[in-house]
Amino acid sequence: MKRFRRHGQESQRDRLKQELFHFNKTVEHGFPHQPSALSYSPSLQLLAIGTRSGAIKLYGAPGVEFMGLHDENAAVTQVHFLPHQVELVTLLDDNSLHMWTLRAHKGLSELLEIGRFTLTGPPGAPPSVTRVTAVLAHSSGELLLLGTEGGHVFVVEVPGFRELEERNISLDQVASSVPDDYIGRRNLEHVEALQENPVDPNQVVIGYGRGLMVIWDLEKQCAIQHIPATQQLESVWWTEDAGYILSSHSDGSYCRWMVGAEDVNEEEEKSDIPYGHFPCKAISKIVQLPTEEGPPFLLFSGGMPRASYGDRHCITVIHGKTHVALDFTSRIIDFFAIRGDPQHTGDPSALVVLVEEELVVIDLQTEDWPVIQTPYLVPLHSSAITCSHHVSAIPLKLWERIIAAGDLQKTHYSKKPWPITGGQNLAPDPPQRDLLLTGHEDGTVRFWDASGVCLHPMYKLSTAGVFHTDADPNDNMNQGTEGEWPPFRKVGCFDPYSDDPRLGVQKIHLCKYSGYLTVAGTAGQILVLELNDEAADQIVEAKVVDLLQGQEGFRWKGHTRLDVREEPVQFPPGFQPFALVQCQPPAVVTALTLHSEWKLVAFGTSHGFGLYDYQQKNNVFVKCTLNPSDQLAMEGPLSRVKSIKKSLRQSFRRIRRSRVSLRKHHVNNAAKLQEANARLEAELAEMEIAPVQRKIEARSSDDSFTGLVRTLYFADTFLTDSSHNTPSLWAGTNGGCVFAYMLRLPPVEHRADEPVTAQPAKEIQLMHRAPVVGIVVMDGHGAPLPEPLEVAHDLARSPDMQGSHHLLVISEEQFKVFTLPKVSAKMKLKLTAVDGSRVRRVGVSWFGSSKSEEYGESGLVVLTNQGDVHVVSLPSVKMQVQYPCIRREDVSGIASCVFTKHGQGFYLISPSEFERFSVSTRFLVEPRCLVELPLRPGSKRRLHSDGASSAHRNTRLTSEDAESAARRVMEHALLNDEQVLQEIQKSLEGDQTSFLENNVKNAVA
């Protein structure tokens, strides 16, 4: 009877788990890693970006986002929307073409692949005959023209991808009609460009690599006109009135040719090298757009003088007498202009530029052409992200104050609304206001609105102003001077160069109730800040704390501390520092927590931990945790344990400074560059690849960094006896040691005068000596203690102080519960030792039931070094669910993961993108949007629904496959490069990679 009852209880628990837990990867925030192609649909008002990892991403109005991933691990080289349709075509660098559609399903649009196609040439023909170099989506929406490396143009019917052989334009047909004096001098080479006549859809211009352009009549199958340019062709643009063709060339020139002129020698009306007379780089793309009144806009990318400005990434905009060279922060991928009215025929209103590291939108209707702030696709990595911190359910007053401080930083942006407005965002309004804070290498902390699908920038805090740094105030390669030619104007916010790597932010803690913020950095600096709505001049005095406490025999070999400014510093409205703690030795701060009710900050490094009273600006106590054998802890992160990325960044920084000084002082800098490169090679040679995870075993106390403090935790609980609760501070170290200190706080009326005191109360040494990554105290009901001030604001139930409290210590290898105040072991849960699982990240979350608004549970969300997410129940400490989340090779992604209080999480899938996931059924943030077919003359608006033509149907479009496709979308991550992934997988798993690849190919076939 007992056995049957237990089985019933288990099945009931299983049902409850289904109501509480469900894993979803929901949305990718930030800027796509390694973008490679751009397109825009004026009729859908959607933007499309393809990446080198084979992803395709569509964006419309804020909140309207779609993602797809090609099965092939190949870069997307071109994207083209079919005019007035919801289909788009992608070309990959493996020469395959793919058709995608936005299909409505249950009232929401989905991005699905509905076909693929590869050109096949005649038997025995070389691959260049069918290697696609140019694509034209014909305005009829029924044809694709594909120009190839061999000089042929293939005509393909879409969406079915049927080749119309009788309409193909072979190289022989074109060559036979070209004047002999042109053909005699050169072969035509590949098809570089295809453009349709804006007035007559039967005419297209075919531009060949060697310069020849041929206007071809698709209906009559013959050449109408030849334009015999002699310079290497880069791009072609047919003006809107169809009267002229513009061509841009590899020597930095562009030419204007009259269409329909009889004498070929007089066709070239205008040839111009905008930035001559010295050799210039190629003009890779040129666009001319008319205006209703006044001169047209001429836009082109490239064309800079090769010797002086060959390293600049520029787009030139010329309108009448206004001539500006927009100088971007990274390589230009592509650009387009948005026209003012819905028919896409009015004056140009915005210039949209995709560069390698960001998307920049220029307002062309406002004087001085200011930048329009992007509501999405923001470069999170404008300075490299070093840490993250998530705060849920922000009170409205704090939210509004942060927005007000942020608005003052955005006055240089255009007031115009975001110009890309396609689709409808059908997602419900977020139930609460959530903040994601990111710390960066340049000492900034950025505040993001993480409530919904768009990760929107709110406010940026800079900590560098407190310190003297190595930065030269005139150290700006891009500052323009009056009368400078070319007329540069720097645009974009991507700036990976840090003035001083010691400024890097390592830990952040924000109290949402009091508005106090603490930020800790690479050189042992801990700043305490408060929110001020007015600008203020302040002197920030450093309180130096000696964590070694005079221990002999240790010598710090790492970087020096930052020098604090002694003069008053003006801080703008927003978070302003009022206290600074400086650890000695100035090692990286590894743990940080703040208790705003007690006005205390606890901090830890690899040498020990301390407690600081920020009301009295006084240190309470210091505990040195350094083991006598911990010599590595004295070497510092910047002297030994460096990442390849950081080394590269520092070397580029040196090269950049070398260039600046070269330009400023005109000195020969070759020796400095050689020195920087030699230093980089030496640093790379020192590095070692992380070892494969070993089986779990007890560790020796001689292991390095045993004294490193991993976690700090404040709790009001029972330490001395079971009848008197007291404030306490708990610290966990890398060597499996837990320290507990009892704190005595003076009464409120004497809080400013009497000192806070602390005395050691408990010390626990875990037998297996695994690093302690988390500490939680649970009240008499088994609920985790609430945050400081949470009860005072009526946002949490007061903790139960009648029953006995329990201490949960989370190490890398197990979860162990102790009773308080006796600290006797009660229960534990071990992670499996076979696969080498270690806890890497842990957080306490609340899981609400999807069936009942009333029911919910607290649980621990755990991420392991295998990339799996587990949920562990509280207070029973039992494993509930386990989901694969991150590839175990993606060490950076695992290290960057941060959990929210409601069962969601963020981790970096690339330096510029956060993947958002949810383990909760109730709390889910994902795009829910609908795109309708655009109106065409004489047609009614309708949805592109499941009742599509048979040509659109594809065997891969079952519901299960759609779900698996959606899962694949989320899987492309930091290791996008196939070669890198193969090398890692071969080293970890032998030759399983090729086996898996063959299986995948067979399944697709």
Side-chain angles (χ1 to χ4, degrees):
M1 211 37 212
K2 191 174 178 183
R3 188 180 302 156
F4 286 115
R5 190 164 62 247
R6 184 179 299 156
H7 177 73
Q9 287 169 348
E10 283 177 3
S11 62
Q12 185 182 351
R13 181 64 196 166
D14 288 339
R15 280 198 302 273
L16 199 53
K17 282 183 193 176
Q18 290 176 355
E19 293 173 14
L20 292 169
F21 313 116
H22 184 65
F23 182 78
N24 278 298
K25 289 186 178 180
T26 54
V27 66
E28 291 173 10
H29 296 301
F31 184 78
H33 186 51
Q34 297 180 324
S36 53
L38 175 73
S39 185
Y40 179 67
S41 167
S43 54
L44 295 175
Q45 293 190 300
L46 291 180
L47 167 88
I49 293 176
T51 73
R52 277 165 54 183
S53 60
I56 177 83
K57 301 190 172 193
L58 271 59
Y59 300 90
V64 176
E65 297 183 13
F66 301 95
M67 286 181 285
L69 188 66
H70 295 88
D71 289 340
E72 298 80 1
N73 194 0
V76 179
T77 55
Q78 295 186 43
V79 182
H80 298 272
F81 281 95
L82 300 189
H84 303 286
Q85 312 226 13
V86 289
E87 279 81 28
L88 67 154
V89 173
T90 55
L91 172 67
L92 306 189
D93 68 356
D94 66 357
N95 206 40
S96 61
L97 287 150
H98 300 256
M99 180 70 68
W100 297 80
T101 188
L102 287 167
R103 180 162 299 175
H105 177 66
K106 296 181 180 176
L108 298 173
S109 296
E110 299 173 320
L111 180 63
L112 298 170
E113 185 181 347
I114 56 169
R116 61 183 63 189
F117 172 74
T118 303
L119 272 178
T120 52
S128 61
V129 170
T130 54
R131 178 84 191 169
V132 178
T133 53
V135 178
L136 171 64
H138 193 263
S139 61
S140 64
E142 297 169 358
L143 298 177
L144 275 185
L145 276 68
L146 308 175
T148 67
E149 205 172 274
H152 307 282
V153 177
F154 293 83
V155 182
V156 174
E157 188 179 63
V158 287
F161 279 136
R162 186 170 67 91
E163 187 181 334
L164 304 177
E165 291 185 24
E166 68 281 0
R167 302 188 67 174
N168 289 348
I169 306 163
S170 72
L171 185 62
D172 296 338
Q173 283 177 277
V174 174
S176 63
S177 65
V178 176
D180 290 339
D181 58 338
Y182 192 92
I183 281 290
R185 289 204 310 273
R186 64 190 70 216
N187 63 354
L188 299 181
E189 286 194 358
H190 62 281
V191 176
E192 181 66 53
L194 287 166
Q195 281 271 326
E196 184 179 331
N197 185 329
V199 176
D200 182 359
N202 284 321
Q203 292 182 10
V204 295
V205 60
I206 308 168
Y208 292 93
R210 279 295 177 100
L212 177 74
M213 288 163 278
V214 177
I215 299 178
W216 188 267
D217 191 305
L218 293 172
E219 202 170 295
K220 297 175 183 173
Q221 297 271 303
C222 65
I224 299 172
Q225 183 180 346
H226 301 88
I227 302 173
T230 54
Q231 281 293 340
Q232 189 83 17
L233 187 69
E234 291 288 328
S235 79
V236 167
W237 181 262
W238 206 324
T239 59
E240 197 165 82
D241 59 4
Y244 292 92
I245 286 175
L246 272 66
S247 61
S248 70
H249 301 275
S250 61
D251 64 344
S253 68
Y254 70 88
C255 306
R256 183 192 299 270
W257 311 85
M258 185 181 288
V259 176
E262 294 177 10
D263 190 344
V264 291
N265 295 323
E266 295 177 9
E267 283 176 16
E268 187 177 348
E269 184 180 285
K270 182 188 176 188
S271 177
D272 190 11
I273 304 180
Y275 298 114
H277 306 281
F278 297 104
C280 293
K281 295 192 77 173
I283 293 178
S284 55
K285 181 174 179 176
I286 190 163
V287 171
Q288 180 179 301
L289 297 170
T291 57
E292 287 185 21
E293 302 169 6
F297 274 88
L298 181 69
L299 309 105
F300 60 85
S301 58
M304 287 290 125
R306 190 176 291 276
S308 308
Y309 303 107
D311 58 345
R312 300 288 184 98
H313 313 287
C314 293
I315 289 180
T316 300
V317 184
I318 302 172
H319 181 233
K321 294 183 179 178
T322 309
H323 181 138
V324 173
L326 299 169
D327 185 9
F328 291 89
T329 56
S330 50
R331 185 173 63 89
I332 294 164
I333 306 297
D334 202 353
F335 70 91
F336 62 84
I338 295 178
R339 310 287 288 273
D341 58 9
Q343 283 74 40
H344 199 61
T345 54
D347 288 3
S349 62
L351 168 65
V352 179
V353 184
L354 177 68
V355 297
E356 207 159 37
E357 305 291 357
E358 61 185 317
L359 183 84
V360 181
V361 180
I362 310 287
D363 176 4
L364 295 177
Q365 292 185 328
T366 305
E367 195 177 355
D368 295 332
W369 298 337
V371 171
I372 300 174
Q373 189 176 22
T374 52
Y376 46 71
L377 288 171
V378 184
L380 306 175
H381 64 319
S382 49
S383 170
I385 292 176
T386 47
C387 68
S388 307
H389 175 65
H390 188 275
V391 191
S392 300
I394 303 291
L396 180 60
K397 188 174 181 183
L398 176 65
W399 188 262
E400 289 173 341
R401 291 176 71 192
I402 293 172
I403 287 175
D407 287 345
L408 296 173
Q409 299 175 339
K410 300 174 185 175
T411 52
H412 60 288
Y413 285 114
S414 168
K415 300 291 187 289
K416 285 277 167 56
W418 181 243
I420 299 166
T421 57
Q424 302 170 47
N425 178 14
L426 302 178
D429 289 334
Q432 60 190 28
R433 294 170 291 274
D434 288 353
L435 267 181
L436 181 67
L437 282 68
T438 53
H440 297 263
E441 193 189 39
D442 62 356
T444 56
V445 177
R446 292 161 204 256
F447 289 64
W448 307 89
D449 177 356
S451 316
V453 170
C454 292
L455 194 66
H456 187 68
M458 294 173 67
Y459 165 72
K460 182 173 90 171
L461 161 70
S462 176
T463 63
V466 179
F467 307 100
H468 290 286
T469 61
D470 300 338
D472 179 349
N474 300 315
D475 186 4
N476 188 350
M477 289 164 57
N478 298 300
Q479 56 191 9
T481 55
E482 197 66 36
E484 181 186 25
W485 187 260
F488 290 119
R489 185 183 132 208
K490 193 177 184 329
V491 284
C493 61
F494 176 71
D495 181 13
Y497 305 106
S498 169
D499 295 328
D500 192 326
R502 295 174 296 173
L503 289 168
V505 175
Q506 297 296 331
K507 295 289 173 185
I508 306 167
H509 193 108
L510 171 69
C511 173
K512 61 188 177 185
Y513 304 111
S514 63
Y516 282 109
L517 169 71
T518 180
V519 175
T522 302
Q525 72 272 28
I526 298 111
L527 282 166
V528 188
L529 309 97
E530 62 182 334
L531 194 53
N532 190 349
D533 299 329
E534 304 292 331
D537 289 349
Q538 284 182 341
I539 298 176
V540 182
E541 291 181 18
K543 177 72 176 177
V544 179
V545 174
D546 179 16
L547 287 170
L548 294 181
Q549 294 180 296
Q551 288 202 28
E552 297 295 325
F554 290 108
R555 188 170 66 83
W556 173 249
K557 301 173 188 173
H559 50 269
T560 58
R561 56 180 266 197
L562 285 159
D563 294 325
V564 182
R565 292 184 186 272
E566 294 176 0
E567 70 277 11
V569 180
Q570 181 170 38
F571 296 105
F575 284 95
Q576 298 172 352
F578 66 90
L580 168 63
V581 181
Q582 177 62 58
C583 297
Q584 281 293 87
V588 171
V589 177
T590 56
L592 183 72
T593 188
L594 173 142
H595 200 297
S596 47
E597 197 171 348
W598 302 341
K599 304 283 197 298
L600 298 173
V601 169
F603 53 90
T605 72
S606 51
H607 307 121
F609 61 95
L611 183 65
Y612 179 74
D613 177 354
Y614 63 80
Q615 182 170 354
Q616 296 184 19
K617 297 189 180 177
N618 203 14
N619 206 52
V620 178
F621 80 92
V622 171
K623 167 71 176 172
C624 179
T625 57
L626 198 62
N627 188 300
S629 62
D630 262 359
Q631 284 303 322
L632 265 183
M634 301 307 294
E635 300 210 354
L638 300 184
S639 66
R640 183 179 176 91
V641 192
K642 289 185 179 180
S643 69
I644 292 175
K645 270 169 54 182
K646 186 169 285 186
S647 299
L648 288 171
R649 268 201 302 274
Q650 288 172 346
S651 295
F652 282 131
R653 195 179 301 123
R654 293 183 197 114
I655 293 168
R656 173 178 177 255
R657 285 189 182 139
S658 301
R659 284 178 182 164
V660 172
S661 59
L662 178 64
R663 208 161 279 150
K664 280 157 61 176
H665 306 300
H666 307 286
V667 295
N668 182 7
N669 221 359
K672 283 188 181 179
L673 285 174
Q674 284 172 359
E675 183 191 342
N677 289 332
R679 214 175 297 158
L680 171 63
E681 286 171 19
E683 286 166 358
L684 290 175
E686 272 186 51
M687 312 230 171
E688 296 174 5
I689 299 205
V692 178
Q693 290 295 336
R694 66 184 193 280
K695 290 186 179 181
I696 292 171
E697 56 195 28
R699 305 174 195 210
S700 159
S701 61
D702 296 335
D703 280 3
S704 299
F705 290 109
T706 54
L708 186 143
V709 179
R710 291 288 290 267
T711 184
L712 291 161
Y713 181 76
F714 284 114
D716 188 355
T717 186
F718 301 96
L719 268 183
T720 51
D721 58 62
S722 53
S723 55
H724 298 94
N725 57 299
T726 176
S728 62
L729 172 65
W730 300 76
T733 72
N734 227 27
C737 200
V738 178
F739 300 93
Y741 276 74
M742 190 167 67
L743 309 179
R744 184 197 159 275
L745 298 169
V748 177
E749 60 271 17
H750 298 295
R751 178 65 180 83
D753 316 316
E754 295 181 15
V756 176
T757 59
Q759 63 185 71
K762 306 284 181 188
E763 188 173 331
I764 307 167
Q765 177 64 62
L766 300 178
M767 295 295 288
H768 57 297
R769 298 184 184 277
V772 176
V773 294
I775 295 171
V776 179
V777 173
M778 295 175 285
D779 69 9
H781 292 307
L785 295 184
E787 290 181 26
L789 295 175
E790 199 171 10
V791 176
H793 285 75
D794 295 328
L795 293 166
R797 192 181 60 187
S798 294
D800 177 55
M801 292 297 186
Q802 304 305 315
S804 61
H805 283 199
H806 289 89
L807 169 70
L808 170 60
V809 177
I810 303 138
S811 77
E812 282 192 352
E813 296 166 16
Q814 69 178 20
F815 308 85
K816 197 163 188 177
V817 178
F818 299 87
T819 59
L820 287 176
K822 288 184 179 178
V823 193
S824 55
K826 186 179 179 183
M827 62 180 102
K828 65 181 174 184
L829 170 69
K830 283 187 177 180
L831 258 81
T832 52
V834 179
D835 60 358
S837 280
R838 300 276 172 84
V839 175
R840 284 287 178 260
R841 286 283 180 269
V842 65
V844 176
S845 289
W846 174 258
F847 295 94
S849 167
S850 58
K851 296 286 176 65
S852 165
E853 285 286 329
E854 307 300 318
Y855 186 75
E857 292 180 6
S858 282
L860 278 182
V861 193
V862 178
L863 177 69
T864 71
N865 63 339
Q866 305 296 307
D868 295 334
V869 170
H870 303 256
V871 178
V872 177
S873 63
L874 292 177
S876 58
V877 196
K878 289 182 178 173
M879 194 68 73
Q880 298 300 300
V881 286
Q882 174 183 349
Y883 305 105
C885 179
I886 310 174
R887 285 203 310 269
R888 69 179 180 190
E889 302 90 353
D890 187 3
V891 180
S892 302
I894 292 170
S896 66
C897 184
V898 58
F899 293 117
T900 78
K901 298 288 184 192
H902 294 93
Q904 297 186 63
F906 299 82
Y907 68 93
L908 288 171
I909 54 172
S910 75
S912 57
E913 292 170 286
F914 273 114
E915 177 83 82
R916 188 178 192 135
F917 64 90
S918 174
V919 195
S920 168
T921 53
R922 190 188 293 182
F923 298 100
L924 199 66
V925 173
E926 60 182 347
R928 296 174 62 83
C929 32
L930 179 67
V931 173
E932 294 181 313
L933 263 175
L935 280 170
R936 294 195 75 171
S939 69
K940 292 182 180 178
R941 177 170 292 189
R942 61 187 174 84
L943 293 179
H944 193 66
S945 62
D946 294 329
S949 65
S950 59
H952 286 249
R953 299 206 175 277
N954 191 288
T955 54
R956 296 170 61 239
L957 290 180
T958 64
S959 61
E960 291 94 356
D961 285 337
E963 283 180 23
S964 67
R967 277 198 299 275
R968 284 198 306 275
V969 168
M970 299 299 184
E971 282 306 313
H972 83 288
L974 192 62
L975 300 171
N976 285 326
D977 193 307
E978 178 72 13
Q979 291 177 336
V980 175
L981 188 56
Q982 281 180 349
E983 284 174 21
I984 292 172
Q985 286 183 331
K986 277 178 185 172
S987 67
L988 292 176
E989 301 168 11
D991 291 324
Q992 287 184 16
T993 311
S994 55
F995 172 75
L996 286 170
E997 281 178 351
N998 291 335
N999 276 0
V1000 170
K1001 284 174 185 170
N1002 294 339
V1004 170

